[in-house]
Amino acid sequence: MSGAPRSSAGRKTAQEVILEARLVSPENLVLAEQESLKSGRPIQQIVVEKKWADKVDVLQVLSREWRTKAVDLAEMEIDPEVVHLLAENVTRKHLVLPFAKEDQVLLLAMADPRDFMVSEDIHIKTGLEVQRYLAMPEDIIRELDKVYGISGSGKGAELLKSVTDAAAIPDVDGTLEKVQEKTDVTEVDASAPEVEKIVNGIILSALGQKASDIHIEPFEDPAGRSSKVLVRYRVDGFLKPAGFQIPWTYRSAVIAKIKIMTNSMNITERRIPQSGRIQVMAKGNPIEFRVEIVPTVYGESVVMRILDRKAVQVDIKKLGFFPETLDRYLGLMAGVGGKKNFGIVLVCGPTGSGKSTTLYASLNHINRDDIKILTAENPVEYNLDGIVQVQVNPDLKLGEDKCFDFATALRSFLRLDPDVIMVGEIRDQETAHIAMEAAMTGHLVFSTIHTNDAPSTVTRLVDMGIPAFMVASTLKCVLAQRLCRRLCPDCKTPHAPTVEEVEVYKTNHFPLPAGAQIFQGTGCRTCNGSGFKGRLGIHELLIVDDTVRTGMLKEMTADSIRDSAANKSTQKMRSILVDGLQKALEGQTTVREVLGGASEVAEDAAKKAGH
């Protein structure tokens, strides 16, 4: 313990003070230090929670050593108006709590009163003299939660870990109390504070893990011993357990609370699917949740898609394109405005492959004051500044045989003098035909289509009934893409390629250079032990130049188009699998991730390679 780090003020750390005061045995203090490193919580809080030391004793020895007064917030009545003298983000960031104000002096409880810079910053913000007091970190958090409600992803996760036991529900103060099992779940009031805490905790924990979806799923044990409501998050494309369960007796109350938050769902209807939206603010950033609720045999199940508006304001240069691929893709969009640019740009791939993100990033790239951009989407997932967005509604009937779908929106757009049009998806002949006509009449059109690769997109359009000459003359390019997990930069390590990995490269005519190394993630705190952090796009760009266009008019098959684009075109196409293998060689991802991300193409390669 003698080597423990000391504070900048030269005073002893909490573990040194506690050890010298003999409040905790050296063995227990070592355990407390280990838990502190894992959880990030202060040691003084851990020893009190473990009942290895009394809270009053810990406060006394620390205040004596650190030369400051101590305060037990649990024994005080805190005035919320005083707490509101500081912004919530400031109090939570520095773990401080204004608990009283006397004339021009602010009494401030701090988890670490040695931090003089924090008190000075608060003095500047408030214009008040700051008198520092030592307080237990958990007491500060509890009082902040009382005033502001639960906030912070870490706190949300801690709260919900405590309700893993189906018989324990947090009360208003954040402590745990046993509740009676209810035979009728409707007895639980959706407006009860514990229900609100559970829902807030689910959301905050998901935001903290940067999840894209929240899944709340009721299951009943076939043996009838116990029932459970699982919560899972989709992080980097993979579902993972949240680490807690919602108590069974609270399942209907939690679902009802979510319905109430949408302001559009019928909380008494549990027999049919319902859709809605929730809008919240998180650290000043507007976040929306697209909510889908469906009835299952064990109760209603919820999926909440997280739509972070801020996240879509992304630089297209950060989506994982190789520089030469990106230059060719953006080069097709040059000249919008002053020089009229027209044609259709399609992005293809399965659901969840990032097509919408690429389209939004493309629109952001070309968005200027001198061009007009119109979008038709179902639904509008993100609001883009300076772009006119229209949400189509196929359920809205405009007449006997008409509805407000993509085709109807496109017809209207052509009378609104746009330069650029974005259609959410081409899914039928009518929409495809109008999009092609818009491209032929001088508009730049963006859209998505569900196909496996770029060449098959062309044949899909012809199969829809679009004339081959129209496809060949209007199509500028097709961008096929997939998402795979990105290796964690903090723990990725190189290794010699395995026999299977070498075979994958050989099968795809991608010879590995001598001494080449492949990377893998070993797992660390940054990536929560997974070895991956974030996702990476792998791409296949088919540019319809004169060579490809001539080949399309001669023979409209996926194989012939692929051959023209990969071997005969002046702008040769790199396949989506080769693009991914190159990124694996550069240490951005792994070969296994590429094989999984490249879908059917990868499966064929894996079979040939013996995977």
Side-chain angles (χ1 to χ4, degrees):
M1 295 300 300
S2 60
R6 294 178 179 260
S7 70
S8 59
R11 295 177 185 167
K12 296 175 183 176
T13 61
Q15 54 264 46
E16 289 177 315
V17 175
I18 292 172
L19 183 64
E20 290 181 5
R22 299 183 179 180
L23 295 180
V24 179
S25 68
E27 294 79 11
N28 285 343
L29 196 58
V30 170
L31 295 176
E33 286 185 88
Q34 292 173 349
E35 185 166 338
S36 177
L37 288 173
K38 290 180 182 179
S39 65
R41 294 183 300 144
I43 280 182
Q44 62 265 38
Q45 187 63 53
I46 294 172
V47 299
V48 170
E49 288 180 357
K50 298 287 187 182
K51 301 188 183 303
W52 292 335
D54 183 75
K55 179 169 72 171
V56 174
D57 293 338
V58 171
L59 287 174
Q60 284 180 348
V61 296
L62 290 177
S63 64
R64 189 183 308 119
E65 173 63 34
W66 292 347
R67 301 173 191 175
T68 186
K69 295 179 181 179
V71 61
D72 188 354
L73 297 175
E75 302 297 326
M76 302 178 63
E77 193 71 31
I78 307 298
D79 184 355
E81 292 187 5
V82 175
V83 180
H84 281 292
L85 290 174
L86 288 180
E88 180 186 4
N89 64 323
V90 175
T91 59
R92 292 192 184 276
K93 177 182 178 181
H94 299 300
L95 213 53
V96 299
L97 176 81
F99 63 92
K101 179 176 174 291
E102 299 175 356
D103 296 328
Q104 292 301 306
V105 179
L106 184 67
L107 307 187
L108 185 70
M110 305 176 67
D112 187 357
R114 298 171 297 170
D115 198 334
F116 180 76
M117 296 301 294
V118 171
S119 60
E120 279 299 294
D121 181 54
I122 292 173
H123 165 63
I124 294 172
K125 282 183 168 66
T126 62
L128 301 172
E129 293 297 324
V130 176
Q131 188 170 330
R132 293 170 285 166
Y133 286 80
L134 170 67
M136 294 300 291
E138 193 64 23
D139 290 346
I140 295 175
I141 292 173
R142 187 189 64 252
E143 295 300 328
L144 290 174
D145 288 345
K146 281 184 182 181
V147 175
Y148 294 112
I150 299 171
S151 182
S153 60
K155 181 62 181 174
E158 288 175 22
L159 165 72
L160 284 161
K161 284 178 182 177
S162 68
V163 299
T164 304
D165 177 2
I169 290 292
D171 66 13
V172 183
D173 296 325
T175 58
L176 292 178
E177 64 176 11
K178 293 291 181 179
V179 298
Q180 298 292 327
E181 283 291 327
K182 301 180 184 291
T183 57
D184 182 359
V185 294
T186 59
E187 293 178 24
V188 181
D189 186 359
S191 63
E194 59 266 27
V195 175
E196 184 172 353
K197 280 193 172 186
I198 291 174
V199 174
N200 287 347
I202 290 171
I203 291 175
L204 291 167
S205 183
L207 295 178
Q209 297 185 46
K210 300 188 182 303
S212 61
D213 300 85
I214 302 171
H215 293 247
I216 303 175
E217 305 156 319
F219 293 99
E220 192 165 27
D221 184 15
R225 291 187 297 271
S226 63
S227 302
K228 56 189 176 181
V229 182
L230 296 183
V231 179
R232 295 191 291 174
Y233 298 137
R234 188 173 296 280
V235 180
D236 294 337
F238 286 78
L239 274 176
K240 55 180 289 189
F244 55 83
Q245 296 177 11
I246 299 172
W248 182 253
T249 51
Y250 280 73
R251 70 190 189 280
S252 292
V254 169
I255 301 301
K257 178 62 179 178
I258 293 173
K259 289 180 179 179
I260 292 170
M261 293 172 69
T262 66
N263 292 320
S264 62
M265 292 187 182
N266 184 350
I267 64 172
T268 62
E269 179 57 73
R270 303 178 185 177
R271 301 165 299 174
I272 61 174
Q274 297 190 66
S275 301
R277 283 184 168 235
I278 297 173
Q279 295 184 339
V280 300
M281 294 291 293
K283 298 182 179 179
N285 180 37
I287 296 178
E288 290 189 4
F289 297 83
R290 194 171 68 201
V291 183
E292 297 291 333
I293 298 181
V294 296
T296 72
V297 292
Y298 299 125
E300 291 177 292
S301 179
V302 181
V303 175
M304 303 169 66
R305 169 66 57 87
I306 302 174
L307 307 175
D308 187 349
R309 292 181 182 177
K310 186 177 180 180
V312 79
Q313 304 298 329
V314 68
D315 186 347
I316 195 170
K317 298 178 181 179
K318 298 179 181 178
L319 294 185
F321 286 92
F322 278 122
E324 64 271 20
T325 304
L326 183 62
D327 288 345
R328 288 191 293 160
Y329 178 67
L330 295 182
L332 298 171
M333 305 174 199
V336 176
K339 177 184 176 183
K340 197 67 173 177
N341 194 357
F342 62 92
I344 185 165
V345 174
L346 293 177
V347 181
C348 72
T351 299
S353 59
K355 300 187 296 297
S356 296
T357 299
T358 299
L359 283 186
Y360 281 125
S362 301
L363 294 180
N364 280 336
H365 178 77
I366 65 174
N367 188 17
R368 300 195 307 265
D369 291 338
D370 61 335
I371 65 173
K372 180 167 183 174
I373 303 176
L374 295 172
T375 74
E377 306 170 59
N378 183 25
V380 174
E381 294 190 353
Y382 302 99
N383 295 331
L384 301 176
D385 186 38
I387 295 176
V388 180
Q389 296 173 269
V390 175
Q391 179 161 313
V392 301
N393 183 4
D395 296 329
L396 180 60
K397 301 302 179 183
L398 305 179
E400 291 184 1
D401 300 320
K402 293 183 179 180
C403 61
F404 188 29
D405 56 9
F406 285 122
T408 303
L410 271 175
R411 289 193 195 93
S412 177
F413 283 3
L414 296 178
R415 298 189 290 270
L416 298 177
D417 189 30
D419 297 294
V420 178
I421 296 172
M422 192 269 274
V423 188
E425 181 183 353
I426 291 178
R427 59 180 69 168
D428 54 51
Q429 178 186 2
E430 186 179 16
T431 305
H433 199 278
I434 299 172
M436 293 291 177
E437 287 183 344
M440 292 182 70
T441 54
H443 302 91
L444 183 60
V445 180
F446 290 86
S447 190
T448 68
I449 190 169
H450 285 276
T451 51
N452 292 326
D453 57 21
S456 62
T457 298
V458 180
T459 58
R460 173 69 181 277
L461 291 171
V462 175
D463 291 342
M464 282 184 177
I466 308 301
F469 78 88
M470 182 179 287
V471 175
S473 60
T474 60
L475 196 60
K476 292 178 73 73
C477 72
V478 181
L479 176 68
Q481 67 178 53
R482 301 290 189 277
L483 292 178
C484 56
R485 290 182 293 177
R486 188 190 297 268
L487 280 169
C488 174
D490 291 348
C491 68
K492 68 178 182 181
T493 55
H495 66 87
T498 64
V499 175
E500 291 82 3
E501 289 170 336
V502 171
E503 187 63 28
V504 170
Y505 279 89
K506 182 179 178 181
T507 301
N508 289 279
H509 310 291
F510 191 143
L512 285 171
Q517 291 186 310
I518 304 296
F519 290 78
Q520 66 181 10
T522 57
C524 64
R525 293 183 64 180
T526 302
C527 60
N528 293 322
S530 69
F532 298 94
K533 187 70 174 177
R535 288 197 282 180
L536 170 75
I538 53 177
H539 307 92
E540 175 180 275
L541 179 63
L542 166 64
I543 295 179
V544 184
D545 58 12
D546 291 339
T547 302
V548 175
R549 187 174 292 109
T550 301
M552 289 167 58
L553 292 174
K554 289 181 178 179
E555 185 180 4
M556 189 65 75
T557 66
D559 288 340
S560 64
I561 294 169
R562 183 179 293 106
D563 180 64
S564 297
N567 301 315
K568 302 174 184 176
S569 173
T570 55
Q571 303 187 66
K572 291 182 171 55
M573 179 185 74
R574 175 167 47 200
S575 74
I576 194 168
L577 188 55
V578 171
D579 187 90
L581 292 176
Q582 178 64 45
K583 288 169 181 172
L585 193 60
E586 295 182 359
Q588 298 184 57
T589 187
T590 67
V591 173
R592 186 172 295 277
E593 279 293 308
V594 172
L595 294 179
S599 191
E600 288 80 3
V601 179
E603 291 178 12
D604 293 340
K607 289 177 183 177
K608 294 177 183 178
H611 272 214

